[in-house]
Amino acid sequence: MECLAGELRAVMTRTGPEGGERGHGTKRWQLLREDVLIGELSEYGCDRPYSLARFTPGPGWESVRPLFEARAAHRGTDPDGAGTAAPAEPLRNLGLTLAPVDGGQPPLRLFKDCTVRINGSEARLRHRHAN
């Protein structure tokens, strides 16, 4: 019985919500502002509710870097959300999207379909799910 439970745990950690293999292929996203590549995210792990990714800057990164750095600098508790909302607002106004490199699904709109935090070469991606 213990062996079966261990096998079940192993399968559950390898299988994503749609039944696909997790950890056997890296999901890659392009962060875009219209047709300008801001950078690329390559998922490597999970820290629920976030997907963890490596961030590689693209040609448009320097134009938005200060906005992401201001958002990453926010630390500590934020009971009413005001501290988090202020640095996110300029990013929200840019109309950024995350497009899967493999083209397997439509692009995600930042702050509508997902959120992304970038701090140096590390990124955290959180999908928003409709209820």
Side-chain angles (χ1 to χ4, degrees):
M1 186 67 137
E2 187 174 318
C3 185
L4 180 59
E7 287 178 36
L8 181 58
R9 275 194 304 276
V11 169
M12 289 175 69
T13 58
R14 286 194 312 265
T15 306
E18 284 77 45
E21 291 290 306
R22 223 179 20 198
H24 293 277
T26 302
K27 181 109 181 164
R28 291 179 29 226
W29 302 88
Q30 288 186 329
L31 180 60
L32 301 165
R33 182 176 183 194
E34 296 176 3
D35 61 348
V36 175
L37 178 65
I38 302 299
E40 189 170 292
L41 287 79
S42 298
E43 291 184 32
Y44 68 85
C46 184
D47 182 11
R48 294 217 183 263
Y50 297 95
S51 294
L52 305 175
R54 304 269 185 254
F55 176 72
T56 305
W61 173 243
E62 286 304 314
S63 67
V64 299
R65 183 181 52 81
L67 301 176
F68 277 96
E69 288 176 348
R71 186 161 187 241
H74 175 70
R75 300 271 189 255
T77 61
D78 188 14
D80 66 358
T84 303
E89 193 61 31
L91 285 170
R92 183 184 320 266
N93 295 334
L94 294 177
L96 300 174
T97 59
L98 270 179
V101 171
D102 67 7
Q105 65 189 63
L108 302 173
R109 299 162 299 169
L110 260 64
F111 301 103
K112 292 185 182 188
D113 303 317
C114 65
T115 58
V116 173
R117 289 185 170 269
I118 299 172
N119 190 1
S121 64
E122 294 295 316
R124 296 170 68 85
L125 167 65
R126 182 176 185 175
H127 296 270
R128 296 181 186 236
H129 301 285
N131 292 333

